[in-house]
């Protein structure tokens, strides 16, 4: 059974025919759209490497069927920077060495961006640790990750303050 | 994953009709179902995707003071709804202590209720498991079972229900609204999950095609907002299922407990309402002695199903602590680590 | 994959360059943009997907596979089984050298551990291949599984670790114990652990005639090439492996395991490019693990609290078909002075995949037991555990009597203790609480790891335009080779890092040895350093022998290379640029090679180790038993620090592994089936962000003229040693309960 679906991926609309309803968003991105920035660490919702934003919210793309997300607006790591200009979270990850092997990094960054949009963590490191706990890092780059998010968060608050001033 | 057909019904009636067919299963966010399908534990022929149904994603205050939560409301959206968190803080705390932010963003209310056990032998298709395959046996019984049930289990199954959300909900007398082949009906959440007895293959009281459309909190549930907590002991600080958890909610008037609600998680095949303990508490002054007594009472029927005797003692202590925390009052803000014993770790150290 | 282009970080992210500078990662931009290409990200045209079917029994034989059912599934192209597979050039059971492990590549229907590959399904889509593998529905003839440390008769292995004797002693332990004033004896258990790099093992294999192109994460490019060459009977120069980035390795990607070989076989079978990626649960079997141990420690002290004897025995396991023995007891060779030391190992064989080196093999496992026992001994003596360690400070390596090439451990203790505030610790356990009533405990552990050197080669060039090139088949598993080695290269070539084309991560470059043993930066760095020196020497020859050069005749005085110019050492006002020298000589480039290798003479004379002291604070709920680490300070002396930024990250990572060892990680094996019941990342717990407290690392200055030309000791593994014990000791100090079975569980603390 073929199903035609359409998705907006990193701002571009993509229409295609899905020949198999078993395809997850993760496998769709990686193996069919060749957007391999999103990683597969467990395929079972247990690591966060596959985190993407759907409708602005972070989810595990390995436990989401593509077909069920017909019409969704998806942001992946490939769509975060504007050309050469890094997203503040990306820049902060580099500055604070928020990764080592880098395999969990796309998921961490998408998760951090999603978290900042959720507005639940603010600048409390303990909240950030809790809210970033859905992203495992076997290299143990957590300290840098928290520092990076704190910096990005501070930058975002600063921008907001300036905007509202 | 086994091939399956996929339908996306436009109405609840269509959904029910589709899902009533043999081999059909509802798909909500899929965070549990897809996991099970990938492991070959669930092998449905037809997925009935309910995520596009209209009108099931609302949180509606009811005229009688109750609240109706649509089955498709996302766990995170519910927990972060300010009115909801203010009125039912233990439920919000339980939700936020479950899974991860990503999973909570996806997971639906209905799916959370109906998530299946995390028993490792249930997940391992090479093991015998009465729940997965009726009558095949239970490899957990003599296996690695330190996290298994201590209440309500039977020789045929010693699994626990893993949901955090359900624990405070059952304490607050939540009601489940169901749309089925014979129309709409409702049952108490306490009656939704079944204890295993001889038929552990049936997790719940639902019939084929039954769709949970909403969960309702009765008007009285609001009355506990000032003294309600959820406490969850786990093997890492976050992103882990409960070893044991408890929801405690009190109404305290003039130094006495007017009403008490208590439920345990991680101890049985269902969220475990401890009515006997509630009776102990009712009318008493909220002090350590009565909390201990309630804790004893809550676990009187408990017995180990394996290497898990410690869970009984742990459960007693969690009950006593959850009651202590509830009596102290709901914190003004959600703790940084919801439901954690380390909810407030900052502070000076004394020798 | 296009050739890798490492974007230099934008100026604001730069913190200087070259050795000693905290340069941010040069591969950082690729990694944060999702553009770093890991093996599984490759997708050559016409590629098919291969998925392994693995055994659910731990011992026996596969009696049937429903190949037809798999083949009937739409999209399935082929099924590789023992009956249908490409021939290998040699029997995979033959160990052609000590770094070859026996692998299962469908050579028979025998099953020797759970999760062993038993077939491979190749299909047009990943979904089809995955379900095809499930449809094989294997049937077995099952034999009872041998599980656990008491599974059978024990024996003394010929060697432990990589070539260490199983038994070692110095002095008379029994006499030492007999004469002791105080004695302790304690037995500790550590569980099986799995590397669980976030990146599952993966391979994309493409055959072109008898040439083979491979994308695969490996910590040992050349070892892999050699193994593939012998297995497939092709010349090594027909094989090209690209491994620019590893998504973590921790030892599990060091040697060729079975699954990537299966990927190559599958590609050969179907005559198309094939991608094979392990599912997470499949990483609990064919790709190595840390073996469980039971360790008995006996110690005695004299009236002053000085050790009179130290006896460390470790029981471990290996597989039934190959040998790797976790050298746990060897941890007692180097840390504490004792007139009598004995270490010994024995083992039993169990039905698991062969254990392997996993981050600090032996050191980590042995360290948590030794550091716990030292704490127990200190407590028995009534002495502060730091004071006790200082009292028993080893001035020479205890087991050999050799002097240390350098050892700044005392400074580590001092600086770490000061930063941590150790002086305020109560001697008695269960004395400290925080405001919330949680028990607070402080623990210490000493860290140590040998400073190793392997063999490596590098090629350096200076080009006509004055830029440089450095090529070495080095591996970046996250430790930062792309950055740290490039820094060393830049210094070696006397150029700014942006003027050096640094190439690494493919097998057609000079052999960088294996990225393991915390020796990669030292070994590859030494090769780079020497290649740099060699090419500069050639350039200097051109200039100093040329009358037209301002450097003419400087031969004796020598030259300095800096900023792309050579200067006379005795007169820095005289110099000229590389470009000028080459232009005049009419050369496009000069090139030279260099090597890095251990110095046998220095090794004979000195014991070479990095050291450290880790201090941990835990909080424990007094009634509920849940534990949280709230603070860790590690002070490490590891020779020269090439890049403080990267080194800090490595040490943090190690400390988190140590905490994970003490509190979280454990593979749970069903005693009956031999299957691992938590072969996933949900129930095999590794720390999440919320488990990790603010960490503090101090790198203590240490100059070591003996270890290698650059004085580098390596920091990849030392962080886990010491840390595991520090956390365990802190739990004791918080609760008064000494848990000797790791990881420490809630039920042990429900007192
Ligand atoms: C790694 C991991 C960790 C987790 N940790 C926790 C935790 O700590 N605490 C916790 O409580 N949970 C935890 N969860 C479970 C998570 O909460 C559930 O997976 C989630 O709530 C299920 O919701 P869903 O919408 O994805 O349901 P689905 O997976 O779509 O469905 C689950 C089941 O419910 C049925 N169903 C769904 N909606 C309806 C409906 N409206 N009517 C009738 N049937 C329906 C489906 O047919 C299916 O059988 C964890 C999950 C993962 C993967
Ligand atoms: S405890 Fe229940 S779910 Fe677990 S194996 Fe036994 S029957 Fe299956
Ligand atoms: S790959 Fe999706 S959570 Fe691990
Ligand atoms: S950086 Fe390697 S797993 Fe996070």
């Amino acid at each position: 059974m073929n199903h035609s679906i359409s998705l907006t991926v990193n701002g571009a609309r993509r229409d295609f025919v899905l020949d198999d309803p078993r395809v997850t968003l993760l496998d769709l991105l990686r193996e069919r759209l060749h957007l391999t920035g999103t990683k597969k660490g467990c395929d079972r919702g247990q690591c966060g490497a596959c985190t993407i934003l759907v409708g602005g919210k972070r989810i595990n793309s390995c436990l989401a069927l593509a077909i069920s997300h017909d019409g969704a607006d998806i942001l992946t790591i490939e769509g975060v920077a504007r050309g050469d200009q890094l997203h503040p979270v990306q820049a902060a990850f580099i500055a604070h060495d928020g990764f080592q092997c880098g395999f969990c990094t796309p998921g961490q960054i998408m998760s951090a961006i999603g978290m900042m949009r959720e507005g639940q963590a603010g600048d409390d490191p303990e909240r950030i640790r809790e809210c970033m706990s859905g992203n495992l890092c076997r290299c143990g780059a957590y300290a840098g990750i928290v520092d990076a998010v704190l910096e990005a968060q501070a930058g975002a608050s600063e921008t907001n303050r300036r905007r509202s001033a | 994953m086994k091939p399956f057909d996929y339908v996306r019904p436009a109405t609840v009636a269509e959904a029910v009709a589709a899902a009533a067919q043999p081999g059909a299963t509802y798909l909500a966010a899929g965070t549990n179902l897809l996991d099970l399908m990938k492991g070959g534990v669930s092998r449905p022929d037809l997925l009935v995707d309910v995520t596009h149904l209209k009108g099931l994603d609302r949180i509606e205050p009811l005229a009688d003071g109750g609240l109706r939560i649509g089955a498709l409301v996302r766990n995170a959206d519910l927990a972060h709804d300010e009115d909801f968190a203010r009125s039912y803080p233990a439920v919000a705390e339980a939700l936020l202590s479950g899974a991860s932010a990503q999973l909570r963003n996806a997971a639906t209310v209905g799916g959370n209720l109906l998530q299946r056990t995390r028993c490792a032998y249930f997940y391992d298709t090479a093991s015998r498991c009465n729940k997965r395959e009726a009558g095949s046996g239970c490899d957990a019984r003599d296996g690695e079972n330190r996290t298994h049930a201590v209440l309500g289990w039977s020789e045929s199954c010693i699994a626990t229900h893993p949901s955090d959300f359900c624990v405070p909900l059952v304490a607050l007398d939540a009601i489940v609204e169901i749309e089925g082949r014979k129309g709409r009906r409702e049952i108490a959440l306490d009656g939704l999950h079944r204890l295993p007895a001889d038929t552990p293959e049936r997790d719940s009281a639902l019939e084929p095609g039954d769709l949970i459309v909403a969960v309702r909190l009765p008007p009285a549930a609001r009355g506990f907002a000032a003294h309600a907590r959820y406490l969850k002991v786990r093997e890492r600080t976050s992103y882990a299922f409960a070893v044991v958890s408890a929801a405690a909610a009190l109404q305290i008037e003039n130094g006495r407990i007017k009403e008490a609600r208590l439920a345990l998680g991680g101890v049985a095949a269902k969220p475990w309402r401890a009515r006997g303990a509630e009776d102990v508490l009712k009318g008493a002054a909220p002090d350590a002695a009565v909390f201990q007594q309630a804790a004893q009472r809550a676990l009187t029927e408990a017995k180990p199903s394996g290497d898990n005797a410690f869970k009984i003692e742990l459960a007693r202590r969690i009950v006593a602590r959850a009651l202590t925390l509830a009596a102290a009052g709901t914190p003004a803000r959600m703790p940084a680590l919801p439901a954690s014993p380390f909810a407030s770790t900052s502070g000076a150290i004394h020798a | 994959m296009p050739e890798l282009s490492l974007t230099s970080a934008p100026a604001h992210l730069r913190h200087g360059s070259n050795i000693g500078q905290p340069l941010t990662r040069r591969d950082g931009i690729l990694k944060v943009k999702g553009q770093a290409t890991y093996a599984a990200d490759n997708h050559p045209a016409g590629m098919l997907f291969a998925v392994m079917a693995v055994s659910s029994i731990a011992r026996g034989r596969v009696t049937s596979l429903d190949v037809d059912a798999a083949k009937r599934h739409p999209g399935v192209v082929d099924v590789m089984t023992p009956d249908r597979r490409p021939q290998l050039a040699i029997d995979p059971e033959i160990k052609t050298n000590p770094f070859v492990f026996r692998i299962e590549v469908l050579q028979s229907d025998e099953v020797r551990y759970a999760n062993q590959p038993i077939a491979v399904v190749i299909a047009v889509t990943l979904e089809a291949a995955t379900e095809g593998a499930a449809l094989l529905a294997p049937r077995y003839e099952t034999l009872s599984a041998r599980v656990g440390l008491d599974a059978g008769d024990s024996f003394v292995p010929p060697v432990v670790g990589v070539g260490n004797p199983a038994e070692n002693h110095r002095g008379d332990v029994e006499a030492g114990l007999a004469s002791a004033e105080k004695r302790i004896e304690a037995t500790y258990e550590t569980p099986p652990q799995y590397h669980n790099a976030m990146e599952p093992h993966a391979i994309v294999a493409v055959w072109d005639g008898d040439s083979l192109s491979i994308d695969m994460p490996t910590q040992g490019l050349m070892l892999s090439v050699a193994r593939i060459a012998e297995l497939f009977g092709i010349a090594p120069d027909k094989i090209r492996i690209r491994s620019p980035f590893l998504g973590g390795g921790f030892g599990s990607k060091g040697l060729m395991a079975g699954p990537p070989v299966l990927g190559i076989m599958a590609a050969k079978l179907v005559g198309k490019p094939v991608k094979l990626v392990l599912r997470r649960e499949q990483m609990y079997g064919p790709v190595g693990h840390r073996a469980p141990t039971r360790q008995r420690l006996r110690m005695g002290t004299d009236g002053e609290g000085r050790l009179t004897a130290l006896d460390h025995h470790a029981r471990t396991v290996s597989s039934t078909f190959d040998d790797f023995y976790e050298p746990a007891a060897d941890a007692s060779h180097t840390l504490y002075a004792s007139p009598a030391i004995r270490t010994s190992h024995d083992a039993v064989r169990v039905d698991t995949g062969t254990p392997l080196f996993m981050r600090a093999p032996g050191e980590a496992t042995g360290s948590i037991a030794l550091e716990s026992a030292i704490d127990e001994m200190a407590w028995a003596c009534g002495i502060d555990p730091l004071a006790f360690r200082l009292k028993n400070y080893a001035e020479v390596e205890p087991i050999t009597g050799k002097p240390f090439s350098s050892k700044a451990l005392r400074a580590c203790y001092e600086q770490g203790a000061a930063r941590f505030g150790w002086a305020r610790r109560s001697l008695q356990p269960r004395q400290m609480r925080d405001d919330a009533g949680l028990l607070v405990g402080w623990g210490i552990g000493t860290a140590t790891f040998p400073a190793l050197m392997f063999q490596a080669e590098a090629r350096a060039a200076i080009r006509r335009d004055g830029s440089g090139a450095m090529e070495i088949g080095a591996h970046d598993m996250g430790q930062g080779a792309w950055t740290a080695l490039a820094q060393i290269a830049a210094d070696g070539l006397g150029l700014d890092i942006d003027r050096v084309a640094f190439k690494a991560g493919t097998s057609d470059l000079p052999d960088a040895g294996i990225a393991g043993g915390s020796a990669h930066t030292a070994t590859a760095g030494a090769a780079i350093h020497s290649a740099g020196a060699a090419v500069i020497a050639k350039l200097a020859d051109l200039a100093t022998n040329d009358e037209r050069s301002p450097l003419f005749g400087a031969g004796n005085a020598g030259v300095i290379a800096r900023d792309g110019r050579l200067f006379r050492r005795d007169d820095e006002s005289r110099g000229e640029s590389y470009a000028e020298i080459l232009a005049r000589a009419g050369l496009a480039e000069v090139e030279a090679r260099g090597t890095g290798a251990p110095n046998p003479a220095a090794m004979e004379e000195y014991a070479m180790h990095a050291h450290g002291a880790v201090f941990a604070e835990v909080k424990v709920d007094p009634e509920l038993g849940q534990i949280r680490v709230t603070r860790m300070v590690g002070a490490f002396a590891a020779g020269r620090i090439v890049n403080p930024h990267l080194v800090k990250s490595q040490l943090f990572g190690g400390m988190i592994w140590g905490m994970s060892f003490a509190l979280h990680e454990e593979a749970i094996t069903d005693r009956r089936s031999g299957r691992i019941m938590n072969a996933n990342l949900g129930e095999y717990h590794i720390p999440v962000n919320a488990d990790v407290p603010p960490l503090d690392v101090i790198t203590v200055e240490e100059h070591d003229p003996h270890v290698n030309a650059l004085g580098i000791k390596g920091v990849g593994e030392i962080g886990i040693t010491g840390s595991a014990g520090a956390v365990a000791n802190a739990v004791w100090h918080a609760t008064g309960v000494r848990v000797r079975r790791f990881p420490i569980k809630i039920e042990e603390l429900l007192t």
Side-chain angles (χ1 to χ4, degrees), chain A:
Chain A
M1 201 163 42
N2 286 338
H3 306 263
S4 31
I5 65 169
S6 81
L7 295 172
T8 304
V9 182
N10 300 328
R13 193 184 147 126
R14 316 273 295 240
D15 296 298
F16 46 94
V17 174
L18 203 57
D19 57 7
D20 191 334
R22 292 176 294 184
V23 180
T24 59
L25 275 181
L26 175 60
D27 290 332
L28 178 82
L29 291 168
R30 287 186 53 80
E31 308 298 353
R32 295 174 185 237
L33 304 183
H34 303 296
L35 290 170
T36 53
T38 308
K39 301 297 180 226
K40 182 186 285 189
C42 71
D43 209 25
R44 305 294 279 268
Q46 300 173 340
C47 77
C50 64
T51 304
I52 58 171
L53 301 192
V54 173
K57 293 189 173 166
R58 49 181 169 158
I59 67 159
N60 305 101
S61 59
C62 67
L63 289 186
L65 282 185
I67 194 170
S68 176
H69 286 80
D70 191 6
D73 186 0
I74 289 171
L75 183 67
T76 72
I77 190 71
E78 287 91 348
V80 167
R82 293 226 179 88
D84 281 346
Q85 205 196 330
L86 297 180
H87 186 283
V89 172
Q90 292 174 311
F93 264 68
I94 296 178
H96 293 278
D97 215 29
F99 52 89
Q100 294 182 35
C101 78
F103 195 79
C104 71
T105 311
Q108 301 278 2
I109 289 174
M110 296 316 292
S111 191
I113 293 172
M115 182 188 72
M116 287 165 62
R117 292 194 185 179
E118 284 157 21
Q120 294 294 323
D123 56 3
D124 175 358
E126 189 80 324
R127 283 298 294 153
I128 290 171
R129 282 185 209 112
E130 163 63 26
C131 292
M132 289 295 291
S133 281
N135 294 82
L136 302 186
C137 175
R138 185 54 154 167
C139 297
Y142 294 127
I145 292 168
V146 173
D147 288 345
V149 173
L150 279 167
E151 179 182 298
Q153 181 75 46
S157 319
E158 179 62 26
T159 313
N160 286 345
R161 206 170 32 249
R162 264 195 251 117
R163 267 203 209 113
S164 55

Side-chain angles (χ1 to χ4, degrees), chain B residues 121 139 146 237 321 350, chain C residues 433 621 623 670 691 747:
Chain B
Y121 297 92
D139 272 342
R146 68 178 272 279
T237 306
R321 176 73 63 78
H350 316 283
Chain C
R433 299 239 179 185
D621 189 294
E623 283 107 34
D670 183 89
D691 288 307
E747 55 263 46

Side-chain angles (χ1 to χ4, degrees), chain C residues 12-252:
Chain C
H12 72 281
L13 292 174
R14 283 282 302 276
H15 301 296
S17 75
N18 305 15
I19 298 181
Q21 298 300 313
L23 192 66
T24 54
R25 285 175 199 264
R26 297 176 62 244
D27 49 357
I29 294 199
L30 290 179
K31 285 182 173 173
V32 301
K33 290 176 103 177
Q35 291 171 345
T37 313
Y38 301 82
D41 299 342
N42 291 284
H43 199 121
M47 187 191 83
L48 300 177
F49 295 85
V51 170
M52 300 190 316
V54 297
S55 75
S56 61
I57 64 162
R59 182 183 175 204
R61 221 164 54 78
V62 178
T63 54
S64 81
L65 291 168
D66 195 347
V67 172
D68 289 340
K71 281 199 168 152
R72 274 197 303 273
H73 189 283
V76 170
V77 171
D78 213 330
V79 179
M80 193 164 73
T81 66
D83 296 333
R84 178 174 165 70
R85 61 179 169 88
Q87 280 305 314
L88 293 174
I90 59 159
D91 179 353
E93 301 287 344
I94 296 172
K95 286 170 81 85
T96 47
N97 74 61
F99 283 106
V100 161
F101 276 57
R102 297 202 168 97
I103 55 180
E104 299 74 27
V105 287
L106 306 178
Q107 64 266 39
S108 79
D109 59 10
E110 187 196 353
V111 173
R112 40 200 196 188
Y113 58 88
N115 281 339
Q116 176 191 313
I118 55 173
V120 176
V121 176
I122 304 129
V124 183
T125 64
L126 179 56
E127 292 74 24
T130 306
E131 179 60 10
L135 288 169
L136 290 172
R139 276 192 265 172
Y140 304 96
E141 189 178 289
T142 310
L143 296 172
S144 66
R146 290 156 291 188
V147 177
L149 288 157
D150 300 306
D153 293 338
S154 69
F155 59 95
V156 175
V159 294
V160 296
V162 184
N164 308 350
E167 298 187 348
N168 243 305
H169 68 97
R170 187 181 175 90
D172 184 340
V173 161
E174 296 307 331
L177 286 170
S179 72
E181 191 107 321
K182 299 235 161 50
R183 271 177 292 271
I184 60 137
E185 173 173 342
T187 301
Y188 305 87
E189 280 196 31
T190 67
Q193 298 177 344
Y194 283 76
H195 305 75
N196 271 316
M198 285 308 296
E199 175 200 31
H201 291 61
I203 185 167
V204 175
V206 185
W207 286 95
D208 178 6
D210 64 348
S211 301
L212 180 59
S213 151
I214 290 174
D215 293 290
M216 171 181 87
T218 172
Q219 299 172 239
L221 281 161
M222 286 307 162
L223 283 174
S224 297
V225 166
R227 182 68 171 140
I228 294 166
E230 69 180 18
L231 282 169
F232 290 90
I234 54 177
D237 64 5
K238 295 280 187 190
I239 302 166
R240 181 159 193 260
I241 306 179
R242 295 183 298 183
S243 181
F245 302 108
L246 287 85
F250 313 114
S252 74

Side-chain angles (χ1 to χ4, degrees), chain A residues 42 44-47 60 63, chain B residues 24-36 42 47-48 50-51 56 71-75 94-95 97-100 103-104 106-116 118 123 161-166 177-178 206 209-214 230 232 234 236 239-242, chain C residues 681-683:
Chain A
C42 71
R44 305 294 279 268
Q46 300 173 340
C47 77
N60 305 101
L63 289 186
Chain B
T25 304
Y26 287 121
L27 169 73
T31 60
N32 188 226
L33 183 61
L34 276 183
D35 183 25
L36 293 167
S42 297
L47 288 194
V48 181
V50 296
T51 54
L56 297 185
L72 292 179
V73 173
R74 308 288 167 167
N75 288 191
L95 279 168
S97 74
S100 67
L103 287 160
R104 296 191 294 266
T108 63
V109 160
N112 191 313
L113 263 48
L114 292 175
Q115 63 175 297
R116 309 204 65 194
R118 291 274 157 176
Y123 263 82
H161 191 255
S163 167
D164 291 302
F165 180 42
C166 286
E177 297 182 9
I178 299 159
L206 297 187
D210 276 355
L211 178 72
I212 295 181
V213 291
Y230 184 66
K232 173 178 177 184
R234 355 172 193 186
R236 57 185 179 193
Y239 206 7
F241 287 95
Chain C
L681 286 175
E683 306 299 325

Side-chain angles (χ1 to χ4, degrees), chain C residues 249-565:
Chain C
F250 313 114
S252 74
K253 292 169 183 162
L255 308 178
M256 237 5 229
V261 176
L262 288 170
I264 301 169
M265 288 166 66
K268 194 163 186 182
L269 181 74
V270 296
K272 290 208 171 141
V274 159
K275 167 149 76 183
L276 185 151
V277 184
L278 266 61
R279 293 153 60 97
R280 178 57 58 180
E281 68 270 22
Q282 296 177 335
M283 293 178 66
Y284 290 76
V287 292
H289 67 285
R290 194 196 296 281
T293 68
R294 182 185 299 137
Q295 303 176 52
R296 188 193 63 168
L297 278 113
R298 298 191 299 158
M299 284 180 201
T301 50
D302 64 16
E304 310 284 302
R306 273 187 296 263
L307 290 171
T308 57
L310 167 53
D311 185 22
H312 191 163
H313 174 75
R315 158 71 60 88
T316 186
V317 305
S318 190
S319 68
T320 56
F321 54 92
D322 212 340
D323 301 284
F324 181 83
Y325 301 94
E326 179 81 1
D330 291 0
S332 286
H333 288 167
T334 55
L335 270 183
Y336 300 105
S338 171
I341 296 181
R342 180 169 62 201
T343 62
S344 56
H345 297 82
D346 71 354
V348 299
R349 293 199 181 274
V350 297
D351 296 305
T352 67
T354 307
L356 192 62
F357 20 82
M358 171 162 155
R359 203 172 194 177
E363 288 86 6
T365 322
S367 166
I368 194 168
L370 173 64
E371 291 303 310
S372 295
I374 285 283
D375 236 53
E376 298 206 44
M377 192 73 245
W379 173 239
C381 295
I383 301 176
D384 170 82
L386 170 55
F388 184 79
R389 284 168 171 81
L390 285 167
K391 229 180 228 297
N392 290 286
Y393 193 87
E395 301 294 350
V396 295
E397 186 180 48
I399 197 76
T400 59
K402 286 185 198 175
F404 290 102
S405 59
S406 65
K407 178 176 177 180
L409 176 58
R410 238 189 217 102
C412 295
Y413 284 136
E414 264 165 37
Q415 295 179 29
R419 180 77 60 89
F420 187 82
W422 182 259
R424 298 195 310 277
R425 178 183 181 273
S426 66
L427 185 59
Q428 304 267 338
R430 215 179 169 99
Q431 296 296 307
M432 304 189 339
R433 299 239 179 185
D434 75 355
D435 276 345
L438 296 166
L439 297 167
V440 178
W442 288 358
I444 179 182
T446 310
T448 185
F449 196 83
L452 303 173
M453 281 288 285
F454 303 133
Q455 296 273 354
E457 201 190 358
R459 191 189 82 92
I462 302 281
R463 298 174 181 145
R464 181 73 164 262
D465 64 359
S467 71
M470 187 67 75
E471 298 182 348
I472 182 161
H475 318 84
D476 198 330
M477 330 175 265
Q479 85 279 28
W482 283 115
T483 310
L485 294 182
Q487 287 177 270
I488 297 171
D491 272 5
L493 294 171
L495 285 167
D496 187 82
I497 198 162
D498 292 337
R499 297 282 288 153
V500 178
F502 178 73
K503 278 197 183 171
T506 58
S507 63
D508 50 3
L509 300 173
D511 183 2
I514 191 168
S518 296
H520 202 44
T521 309
T523 308
I528 289 168
H529 180 76
S530 96
V535 79
I536 293 296
K538 280 195 180 172
L539 198 64
D541 273 353
L542 289 177
T544 56
N545 292 327
D546 183 343
E547 296 174 354
R548 291 164 299 174
S549 167
L551 296 167
F552 178 64
N556 290 333
V559 296
I560 300 170
R562 197 172 60 223
D563 300 331
R565 297 176 72 83

